[in-house]
Amino acid sequence: MYLKILEILFGSLAFILLLLMLFRELGITKKLSPMRASDYISSMAGFLLLYIVFAFVLAIFTPIGINKMVMALFGISPFIIGKLVTYKKVRVYSFIQILCVILSLVYVYII
Amino acid sequence: MTLDFILKHDGVNEKPKGAVLLLHGLTGSPFELKKYGQFLYNNGYDVFAECLPGHGEKFEEIYTVNYQNWLDFAYSRFEKLKSEYKNVFVSGLCLGAVLALAVGMKYREQVSGIISLSTTLYLDGWRLPWYKCFMPIALSTILRFYYNYPECEPHGVKNLKTRNAVKKLLAKGDVGMNDFPMTGFKELLELSAFVRNGVNKVVSPILIIHSKEDDLTSTKSAEVVYKKISSKDKEYIILYDSYHMVLYDNEKEFVFEKSLRFLDNHLKSETNTEDFVCI
């Protein structure tokens, strides 16, 4: 039961994060004032933080070993991408980050 | 348009007392040090101020530098001056102050003195927004490339007239950047951590000036430096009527005068004691 609630919470956070990232890729932040754009990215940071926390919580509470590993990997993925990203390759890594969030959603709800 | 400036006495009619290496702040330019530099030059010092790596004409450059580039730049400029002058002082504002301390850590006694203005070892000033708590997450993920914190009121200046002038200049974009890129913050914080860990190696005389109402970094930074450094000759001055940009604010004349007095008091004699011949 608790696991199901955690999964729903994680899924919702991942979905909102995904939308925020996709809208950013579509250029919404360029249409906002600098302060609003700054608020937008800050909320992304907030949701990313929650996404990471819930990925690790799920990794702890999920009973199957492989699932623990995969969820921990999703939790750590933003830091790995953050370590690898360079200014010239920021679009590529943005795409990889979005893909990771989509995969985590698929993993939690379908697999 | 280059904002670098070198103010040198000709060495024949006017012999300089020494050299002062000036280092500007994050997203700033040597322009912010111009009046200060001119004042020191008028009082007998050769003054050198150049743009730090990543602060050139293209805004994108700030995304490609790391703090090691800044350190290498400061070290190389200091070494060059040291080969030409007996007395070389290092002074900086914000990031420049942190770099000045790094120079002091590496070259120790070779540095005649350090003037550290609005030293930024922590980003904990009152101007920073409530969501600064998300900064660690933004800095260590891809978000640091998405986010530029916009330059906003009070622009580090308490004096309203000066603030408006700064606003106009920033709007033109000729004298500094209008945003603080998070990548720049990340490098600044990494440099600050590097300096915090080694600041006890600083032995040269030091003058620390920090504003009580600094909007970007609280007095904690200055206090940490003052407590940790090994310099026996150290002075810490708190300003009560300025914000971060102490060289432009209400107490700028006081800062200029204090700096000059510090430089004059720490000039080493041109002749070394070893040069004397016993008869």
Side-chain angles (χ1 to χ4, degrees):
Chain A
M1 180 62 186
Y2 288 120
L3 197 62
K4 201 75 207 159
I5 294 168
L6 279 175
E7 282 174 5
I8 292 166
L9 279 171
F10 176 79
S12 315
L13 288 167
F15 186 68
I16 296 168
L17 181 63
L18 182 63
L19 286 180
L20 289 170
M21 293 183 97
L22 284 173
F23 281 128
R24 198 208 80 91
E25 286 304 308
L26 292 171
I28 195 168
T29 47
K30 285 174 189 156
K31 288 174 189 160
L32 298 171
S33 70
M35 282 317 276
R36 289 284 138 242
S38 156
D39 292 343
Y40 186 92
I41 303 296
S42 307
S43 29
M44 262 175 86
F47 278 105
L48 186 62
L49 176 67
L50 291 171
Y51 171 86
I52 293 164
V53 169
F54 272 86
F56 281 113
V57 170
L58 269 175
I60 292 163
F61 288 104
T62 201
I64 306 161
I66 185 82
N67 287 355
K68 280 181 185 290
M69 259 177 58
V70 173
M71 286 317 295
L73 206 62
F74 283 131
I76 211 165
S77 67
F79 299 111
I80 297 170
I81 291 166
K83 197 82 189 160
L84 298 173
V85 65
T86 58
Y87 176 63
K88 282 179 184 167
K89 291 185 177 168
V90 72
R91 279 200 80 91
V92 177
Y93 282 99
S94 293
F95 177 72
I96 295 171
Q97 183 64 76
I98 289 171
L99 205 67
C100 280
V101 178
I102 294 172
L103 282 174
S104 67
L105 260 172
V106 172
Y107 196 82
V108 164
Y109 281 126
I110 300 171
I111 304 169
Chain B
M1 183 178 75
T2 179
L3 297 162
D4 299 352
F5 65 89
I6 293 173
L7 304 170
K8 272 178 94 166
H9 295 82
D10 61 17
V12 184
N13 297 322
E14 311 161 282
K15 214 172 170 217
K17 295 180 195 167
V20 186
L21 173 63
L22 297 182
L23 300 161
H24 64 80
L26 182 67
T27 75
S29 73
F31 181 83
E32 69 195 26
L33 305 160
K34 192 87 188 238
K35 282 187 180 169
Y36 180 55
Q38 190 67 52
F39 175 80
L40 298 179
Y41 171 77
N42 293 343
N43 284 283
Y45 291 89
D46 283 357
V47 179
F48 301 82
E50 289 176 66
C51 265
L52 291 173
H55 292 72
E57 287 174 12
K58 290 181 184 162
F59 184 81
E60 299 81 54
E61 286 174 12
I62 191 79
Y63 293 109
T64 57
V65 287
N66 57 45
Y67 80 87
Q68 196 57 51
N69 300 134
W70 293 335
L71 281 177
D72 293 343
F73 172 88
Y75 293 159
S76 70
R77 294 307 180 276
F78 178 79
E79 277 174 22
K80 190 172 176 290
L81 291 180
K82 196 64 199 171
S83 67
E84 295 169 21
Y85 296 85
K86 182 169 176 61
N87 287 295
V88 182
F89 296 90
V90 191
S91 178
L93 176 81
C94 180
L95 161 67
V98 185
L99 283 171
L101 289 167
V103 170
M105 279 158 56
K106 185 167 182 192
Y107 295 97
R108 311 200 73 188
E109 293 89 353
Q110 292 185 60
V111 183
S112 303
I114 298 169
I115 303 174
S116 185
L117 309 165
S118 304
T119 318
T120 310
L121 292 186
Y122 303 95
L123 286 170
D124 55 355
W126 58 263
R127 190 225 309 190
L128 294 172
W130 64 270
Y131 47 75
K132 70 177 179 188
C133 54
F134 294 139
M135 206 186 264
I137 202 87
L139 292 181
S140 46
T141 63
I142 197 169
L143 297 189
R144 73 176 177 273
F145 287 97
Y146 295 172
Y147 181 61
N148 290 341
Y149 179 62
E151 250 296 351
C152 56
E153 293 281 344
H155 299 282
V157 184
K158 193 172 186 180
N159 184 294
L160 277 177
K161 204 177 152 193
T162 314
R163 190 188 299 174
N164 288 332
V166 168
K167 243 195 285 188
K168 278 181 195 161
L169 283 169
L170 283 172
K172 278 192 196 168
D174 288 343
V175 295
M177 298 172 194
N178 231 340
D179 296 315
F180 288 106
M182 287 303 267
T183 49
F185 272 151
K186 180 176 178 275
E187 297 306 325
L188 170 62
L189 290 174
E190 283 182 12
L191 174 68
S192 299
F194 168 77
V195 168
R196 276 200 307 273
N197 291 333
V199 77
N200 58 329
K201 290 181 195 149
V202 176
V203 291
S204 30
I206 187 165
L207 171 65
I208 304 162
I209 301 182
H210 208 104
S211 170
K212 187 84 183 161
E213 294 179 88
D214 193 316
D215 50 323
L216 196 67
T217 173
S218 75
T219 50
K220 183 181 166 189
S221 295
E223 281 153 15
V224 165
V225 173
Y226 186 75
K227 277 180 197 155
K228 279 191 168 182
I229 48 169
S230 306
S231 315
K232 289 192 180 94
D233 187 347
K234 53 185 178 180
E235 192 178 355
Y236 171 32
I237 297 171
I238 301 177
L239 304 177
Y240 290 93
D241 195 23
S242 302
Y243 289 163
H244 187 66
M245 303 296 284
V246 294
L247 295 176
Y248 276 96
D249 225 330
N250 293 327
E251 290 151 303
K252 62 177 186 275
E253 281 92 5
F254 174 77
V255 176
F256 288 8
E257 286 299 334
K258 273 284 174 189
S259 299
L260 180 65
R261 202 176 309 160
F262 173 83
L263 296 179
D264 286 345
N265 288 343
H266 294 92
L267 283 171
K268 288 171 196 152
S269 154
E270 281 298 320
T271 322
N272 279 326
T273 45
E274 296 110 75
D275 295 338
F276 287 112
V277 180
C278 293
I279 301 170

